[in-house]
Amino acid sequence: MAECGRKALSLLEAARSRYESLQISDDVFGESGDDSSDNPFYSTSGDSDSDNCMAEDEQLQQQHKRGDKEGSGHRGGSGAGPPGSLSRSQAEEEGWTETLQDVTVPPFKETYGPAQKMPASSTALDFFQLFVPDNCIQNMVTQTNMYAKKFQERFGSDEGWRPVTAQEMKAFLGFVTSTSVQRCESVLSIWSSGFFSNRSIALKMSQARFEKILKYFHIVAFRPSQGSNQGLYKIQPFLDLLQQSFSCTFKPSQTQVLHEPFIDEDPVFITTCMERELRKRKKRKFSLWVRQCTSTGFICQISVHLKEGTDALATLKNKPQLHSLVAKQLCQNISGKNTIVFTGPSITSLSLFTEFSKQDIYCCGLLSTRKSDCTGLPQNMLVCSSTPAQRGQSRVMMKGSMSLISWYNKGHFRFLTNGYSPTKQGIIIKRKSGEIPCPLAVEAFAAHLSYICKYDDKYSKYFIFHKPNKTWQQVFWLSISIAINNAYILYKMSDAYTVKRYSRAQFGERLVKELLDLDDCSPTQ
């Protein structure tokens, strides 16, 4: 009995050591709560969406159950599988084999972390301006004034308008950013007499002046002569600047993930909204994809595309083709570095992973027979066997360095990877079920994706709640939210954090007060 206990402990310690890097930014938001250091998969919080180490476990189980029923008449892979998949004979001709070989990923060629050392005296505004510097704010001033002039030339003068200044633009950003701290949907609540009123900052600018700036606020006042059909032309220069600053200020770890972060589209307090206000609310017309460092949560790159209009990605009707193009855009700056990228079912495909491997980008992705492009994969690995599977049982086939894994855990889960050796074993550890054996790739996917799910649960609470109707403004404020979260991560990894240990909420409060140039910049306790 004691020997079994020691064996279980050694397995847990081995799993822990494999993912030591994930503990660097544990409790990244500086808030009290359960410490996740005892669990390599970070599933300590009972109310966390990441409680299950498989991020999409329940949803995917239902998908695979439906897929199993669809293929029930073709047990053992004898019938047709997903479109593009290969029969047993075709798979053998293409080089798929059950003979497994060890796979080794070359060492990572970079050290990760902040690219520059910030002084211990650095403020929240200093970190924020690594991404939104003064020259960017000055451009907002110039473009806003140009747009106001053009608007008034066309529709008549506005007697209440005067050109905005850089100081006012900073204050404008501060007012809107305050909705991420106060969590109120309407920024105008600051000047109200209700629950979300904030007299301490309301005195910095009148509501009438704020509404004037909001009316004319622009990043690009005029449509450019070239690329005039680009749907995001009003925000693209800012996105380009933001992307460049993300790349210059932080170097991500070897393991990264491509995914769509959670974006809340519903009102915070739905009971306070009238029915006609809910009917007026429009669903967002864009998708946001990110490449995110799994060791820190830092978002390294963003990709925005419109769901409607003339945007190049919007013209692609084939979803796997669209997602493949998004993945290539997100990974264009990491070739040749031996990075390991984790992907969801919509991105995972043999052709994409093969193309990435030629650029020294290694992959580990979850497969779905309904969502993934299964072209070139063996049918017998994508349909259920006639023999009932036991929990933790797995089958693997290889083609070169690429492994296709079918693993059973209350449902069939399939993975495609060239980033982890199929000959190495790992474990999934759950509080109720105990240890579940699995290939190392499955363990790695669960560990890294669970951490990102936990991070997303936290950082989505600090998105700017102001929800404008114009798509380019929605993208702008969402990008500002990402920049502030990235700024906080850099703050946590700097000497400034050892001087004053602010939580994420306190950091946001301090940033608002510094943008408003208030004398008292100490956060509310």
Side-chain angles (χ1 to χ4, degrees):
M1 198 71 170
E3 184 179 350
C4 291
R6 285 194 296 271
K7 181 180 178 182
L9 184 62
S10 64
L11 289 171
L12 177 60
E13 292 296 333
R16 244 190 236 146
S17 64
R18 283 196 284 269
Y19 306 106
E20 244 180 314
S21 63
L22 295 186
Q23 300 182 29
I24 288 178
S25 65
D26 189 25
D27 191 29
V28 70
F29 288 89
E31 297 166 341
S32 59
D34 294 331
D35 181 14
S36 62
S37 59
D38 288 338
N39 191 315
F41 302 140
Y42 291 91
S43 56
T44 57
S45 173
D47 58 354
S48 171
D49 288 345
S50 60
D51 179 62
N52 193 328
C53 68
M54 299 298 294
E56 298 177 306
D57 198 12
E58 296 299 328
Q59 178 185 358
L60 289 169
Q61 283 177 20
Q62 297 301 321
Q63 291 176 2
H64 284 292
K65 284 178 182 177
R66 288 195 295 268
D68 294 349
K69 290 178 181 178
E70 292 170 1
S72 58
H74 308 287
R75 294 290 182 180
S78 59
S85 58
L86 307 176
S87 65
R88 186 180 296 274
S89 59
Q90 289 174 330
E92 291 177 356
E93 292 176 2
E94 291 293 325
W96 287 98
T97 176
E98 294 182 355
T99 303
L100 306 184
Q101 297 178 348
D102 190 31
V103 173
T104 303
V105 175
F108 190 48
K109 295 183 178 180
E110 290 190 355
T111 56
Y112 78 94
Q116 64 184 84
K117 186 177 178 64
M118 296 290 286
S121 59
S122 299
T123 65
L125 185 58
D126 291 332
F127 287 97
F128 175 68
Q129 293 210 290
L130 290 173
F131 309 118
V132 188
D134 283 331
N135 62 338
C136 178
I137 294 175
Q138 185 58 50
N139 180 68
M140 297 177 195
V141 171
T142 303
Q143 296 295 325
T144 298
N145 288 333
M146 288 172 61
Y147 179 79
K149 181 180 179 181
K150 180 182 73 170
F151 185 91
Q152 293 174 46
E153 287 175 353
R154 182 175 180 182
F155 298 104
S157 62
D158 186 345
E159 295 180 358
W161 170 256
R162 67 178 185 276
V164 67
T165 65
Q167 185 176 3
E168 285 181 316
M169 185 59 71
K170 277 188 178 182
F172 173 78
L173 294 175
F175 281 122
V176 181
T177 300
S178 70
T179 63
S180 67
V181 180
Q182 301 296 328
R183 301 183 185 181
C184 59
E185 189 166 287
S186 174
V187 66
L188 299 181
S189 300
I190 294 171
W191 292 274
S192 71
S193 57
F195 180 78
F196 290 110
S197 63
N198 192 336
R199 301 302 299 172
S200 63
I201 65 175
L203 298 175
K204 197 67 181 178
M205 181 185 291
S206 69
Q207 179 178 345
R209 179 58 177 166
F210 175 85
E211 289 188 78
K212 287 294 182 184
I213 299 175
L214 182 62
K215 176 181 178 180
Y216 296 118
F217 176 68
H218 266 70
I219 306 295
V220 176
F222 303 102
R223 184 184 294 270
S225 57
Q226 294 182 346
S228 58
N229 290 329
Q230 186 179 4
L232 293 171
Y233 77 92
K234 287 191 174 184
I235 188 68
Q236 196 60 53
F238 176 78
L239 295 178
D240 293 340
L241 174 67
L242 202 63
Q243 182 53 62
Q244 184 180 4
S245 63
F246 286 170
S247 302
C248 293
T249 55
F250 185 83
K251 295 181 179 179
S253 64
Q254 182 178 24
T255 51
Q256 299 167 38
V257 61
L258 308 182
H259 73 118
E260 284 187 282
F262 172 75
I263 302 174
D264 185 16
E265 293 184 275
D266 296 323
V268 185
F269 299 104
I270 198 166
T271 55
T272 66
C273 297
M274 299 175 65
E275 185 178 351
R276 71 171 180 272
E277 292 176 332
L278 293 177
R279 286 201 302 265
K280 285 166 59 179
R281 179 175 297 280
K282 299 177 181 178
K283 289 187 177 181
R284 57 187 173 89
K285 299 179 181 179
F286 67 93
S287 294
L288 175 75
W289 291 77
V290 302
R291 175 167 55 85
Q292 192 168 9
C293 171
T294 64
S295 295
T296 60
F298 190 95
I299 290 181
C300 312
Q301 190 164 346
I302 59 179
S303 176
V304 181
H305 74 88
L306 300 179
K307 295 180 179 179
E308 301 174 0
T310 56
D311 181 76
L313 287 175
T315 60
L316 295 175
K317 302 301 181 183
N318 185 297
K319 283 190 175 181
Q321 185 182 0
L322 184 150
H323 294 152
S324 176
L325 184 56
V326 168
K328 292 174 185 178
Q329 289 180 349
L330 290 172
C331 294
Q332 59 187 351
N333 296 328
I334 60 173
S335 60
K337 299 179 180 179
N338 300 328
T339 302
I340 299 176
V341 173
F342 296 93
T343 65
S346 61
I347 291 179
T348 303
S349 73
L350 178 62
S351 60
L352 178 65
F353 284 13
T354 301
E355 184 175 342
F356 275 169
S357 66
K358 297 175 182 177
Q359 305 172 34
D360 294 330
I361 300 173
Y362 299 85
C363 303
C364 181
L366 186 63
L367 267 172
S368 166
T369 54
R370 296 176 64 246
K371 290 185 176 182
S372 304
D373 178 6
C374 296
T375 302
L377 300 177
Q379 290 177 7
N380 64 317
M381 293 292 291
L382 302 176
V383 295
C384 297
S385 171
S386 57
T387 305
Q390 296 181 350
R391 195 172 190 183
Q393 183 177 346
S394 62
R395 294 185 299 141
V396 185
M397 290 190 71
M398 290 192 73
K399 177 183 178 181
S401 61
M402 198 71 66
S403 302
L404 177 57
I405 300 168
S406 177
W407 176 68
Y408 185 82
N409 177 26
K410 292 185 177 179
H412 290 276
F413 294 88
R414 298 173 177 90
F415 297 83
L416 187 66
T417 181
N418 62 350
Y420 293 90
S421 176
T423 62
K424 294 182 179 179
Q425 293 296 306
I427 51 171
I428 297 291
I429 304 170
K430 291 189 175 181
R431 286 191 295 269
K432 294 182 180 179
S433 308
E435 306 159 17
I436 306 172
C438 64
L440 184 61
V442 177
E443 180 195 86
F445 186 94
H448 289 88
L449 267 293
S450 178
Y451 178 77
I452 289 300
C453 285
K454 177 187 174 183
Y455 176 89
D456 284 354
D457 289 346
K458 290 282 189 181
Y459 89 84
S460 62
K461 296 177 182 177
Y462 297 100
F463 274 1
I464 290 171
F465 276 52
H466 173 64
K467 291 182 172 68
N469 285 328
K470 294 180 179 178
T471 299
W472 74 264
Q473 291 185 6
Q474 293 173 12
V475 175
F476 174 77
W477 294 117
L478 181 59
S479 303
I480 289 289
S481 299
I482 291 173
I484 296 173
N485 281 324
N486 278 353
Y488 183 70
I489 291 174
L490 294 181
Y491 160 74
K492 284 288 298 273
M493 301 179 75
S494 72
D495 293 338
Y497 183 69
T498 62
V499 178
K500 293 185 178 180
R501 302 173 70 89
Y502 292 132
S503 68
R504 173 62 180 84
Q506 291 173 327
F507 183 85
E509 289 181 0
R510 184 176 178 88
L511 175 60
V512 168
K513 291 179 178 179
E514 290 174 3
L515 284 168
L516 293 169
D517 195 24
L518 295 176
D519 293 334
D520 179 19
C521 285
S522 58
T524 305
Q525 298 300 322

